[in-house]
């Protein structure tokens, strides 16, 4: 894992937190693929390309406000970055604050995110890339 890849992942999370869609697009390849697993979302889906990124962001913002992504830990997984993630948000209808921990395998190439796969735990994400904790 290069420090550049880690920095790109951090920049992406910051762009999501700042709701900066243009920066998100600049940091993702036009053919990016984001896989949200059923084990981490009530609405699992695969989001492709910049249109998919926009759809993911908008659908999330319809239901939630005060959305924050925090990388708790980054792991060297060879060609990928494994991120232990803490998500907090407030339900728009209920006002209830929610918190979820999950993990993701982020693939970066030529300075852009080309893929993200989500997992219910860091162990599952590390297993998916053949790495150990």
């Amino acid at each position: 894992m290069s420090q550049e890849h880690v920095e790109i992942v951090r920049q992406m999370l910051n762009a999501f937190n700042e709701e900066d869609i243009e920066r998100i697009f600049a940091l993702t390849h036009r053919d990016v693929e984001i896989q949200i697993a059923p084990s981490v979302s009530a609405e699992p889906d695969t989001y492709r390309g910049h249109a998919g990124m926009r759809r993911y962001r908008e659908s999330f913002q319809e239901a939630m406000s005060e959305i924050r992504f925090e990388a708790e830990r980054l792991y060297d997984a060879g060609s990928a970055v494994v991120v232990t993630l803490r998500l907090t948000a407030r339900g728009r209808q209920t006002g209830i604050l929610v918190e979820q921990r999950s993990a993701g395998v982020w693939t970066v190439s030529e300075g852009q995110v080309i893929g993200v796969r989500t997992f219910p735990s860091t162990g599952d994400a590390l297993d998916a890339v053949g790495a150990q904790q």
Side-chain angles (χ1 to χ4, degrees):
M1 170 177 67
S2 75
Q3 189 58 40
E4 177 187 0
H5 291 180
V6 171
E7 184 56 30
I8 289 167
V9 170
R10 283 190 180 123
Q11 287 179 29
M12 274 290 293
L13 294 172
N14 287 338
F16 269 106
N17 290 339
E18 294 168 7
E19 301 181 17
D20 187 344
I21 193 69
E22 295 308 317
R23 199 164 91 203
I24 291 168
F25 287 167
L27 293 166
T28 55
H29 189 273
R30 69 178 176 272
D31 296 324
V32 65
E33 184 171 290
I34 312 284
Q35 298 174 6
I36 307 298
S39 54
V40 300
S41 176
E43 297 181 11
D45 205 342
T46 298
Y47 300 90
R48 292 180 177 88
H50 288 172
M53 292 289 297
R54 186 180 300 279
R55 185 170 60 88
Y56 171 75
R57 182 177 163 270
E58 289 172 355
S59 68
F60 205 164
Q61 288 181 324
E62 283 177 17
M64 309 301 278
S65 65
E66 301 173 34
I67 302 164
R68 303 291 300 166
F69 294 93
E70 177 190 347
E72 293 185 320
R73 188 158 178 197
L74 302 167
Y75 293 83
D76 180 349
S79 62
V81 178
V82 173
V83 180
T84 300
L85 191 68
R86 177 178 174 259
L87 163 70
T88 58
R90 186 172 302 279
R92 288 201 184 274
Q93 296 291 327
T94 64
I96 295 172
L97 185 63
V98 296
E99 177 180 287
Q100 179 184 31
R101 283 187 166 77
S102 64
V105 174
W106 294 62
T107 308
V108 178
S109 178
E110 298 181 14
Q112 292 184 308
V113 175
I114 61 171
V116 179
R117 290 182 296 153
T118 61
F119 296 88
S121 72
T122 303
D124 291 334
L126 290 168
D127 287 348
V129 296
Q132 295 185 5
Q133 290 189 40

